[in-house]
């Protein structure tokens, strides 16, 4: 999905709401518009707030950046990883590739030119969409 596709979701909600209600205002307009706004927020670059930049993470001591997760909003694989890690995921450094072009370039460089996420760097070695158990093992004290 294009990184700015989130802008069109509310418009889709209005069009679908109009079609469902025969272009008369009804509760369907409101419900469908609100659902589309929710989807728009979920896939927007700001859905989880501002994350760290790649340069911020690289400035940390080596021990604090053993696990770096490159992610983007709206990615179901990123959400799966975040959910599987639970509280342990807070020990990883999360970098949103939509908020940091340097991070997006790095992810593309290790994934054959594609911005495939989640890309997780564990002790300097990149892993594309790894099994959450691998990441949990790396985060273990």
């Amino acid at each position: 999905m294009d990184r700015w596709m989130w802008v069109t979701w509310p418009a889709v909600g209005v069009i679908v709401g109009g079609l469902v209600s025969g272009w008369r205002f009804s509760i369907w307009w409101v419900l469908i518009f609100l659902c589309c706004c929710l989807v728009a927020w979920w896939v927007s670059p700001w859905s989880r707030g501002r994350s760290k930049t790649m340069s911020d993470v690289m400035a940390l001591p080596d021990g604090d950046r053993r696990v770096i997760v490159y992610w983007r909003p709206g990615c179901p694989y990123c959400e799966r990883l975040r959910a599987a890690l639970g509280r342990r995921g807070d020990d990883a450094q999360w970098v949103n590739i939509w908020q940091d072009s340097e991070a997006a370039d790095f992810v593309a460089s290790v994934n054959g030119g594609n911005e495939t996420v989640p890309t997780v760097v564990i002790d300097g070695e990149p892993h594309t969409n790894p099994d959450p158990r691998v990441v949990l093992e790396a985060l273990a004290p």
Side-chain angles (χ1 to χ4, degrees):
M1 181 179 295
D2 185 70
R3 68 177 66 184
W4 299 112
M5 181 70 178
W6 61 272
V7 174
T8 61
W9 279 99
V12 168
V14 168
I15 292 168
V16 172
L19 291 173
V20 167
S21 66
W23 295 104
R24 294 182 325 242
F25 180 78
S26 72
I27 191 67
W28 286 110
W29 281 74
V30 175
L31 291 175
I32 293 172
F33 178 74
L34 290 176
C35 286
C36 288
C37 285
L38 181 64
V39 169
W41 174 82
W42 183 60
V43 300
S44 77
W46 306 284
S47 69
R48 296 224 185 252
R50 187 89 183 148
S51 66
K52 294 181 179 172
T53 65
M54 190 170 172
S55 57
D56 292 340
V57 171
M58 291 303 147
L60 294 172
D62 287 342
D64 291 344
R65 58 183 162 102
R66 284 189 22 238
V67 177
I68 304 169
V69 181
Y70 295 93
W71 70 286
R72 68 168 173 77
C75 168
Y77 302 104
C78 299
E79 294 298 327
R80 176 185 70 111
L81 179 63
R82 189 181 295 271
L85 297 179
R87 289 183 177 226
R88 179 63 76 188
D90 293 341
D91 295 337
Q93 303 300 322
W94 293 79
V95 179
N96 182 343
I97 66 167
W98 282 1
Q99 292 179 343
D100 185 354
S101 60
E102 182 183 3
D105 293 341
F106 170 76
V107 168
S109 75
V110 298
N111 289 301
N114 299 313
E115 290 182 356
T116 307
V117 289
T119 296
V120 182
V121 177
I122 300 172
D123 292 326
E125 183 180 341
H127 303 267
T128 303
N129 196 14
D131 187 300
R133 290 176 290 197
V134 171
V135 182
L136 279 169
E137 192 175 295
L139 289 170

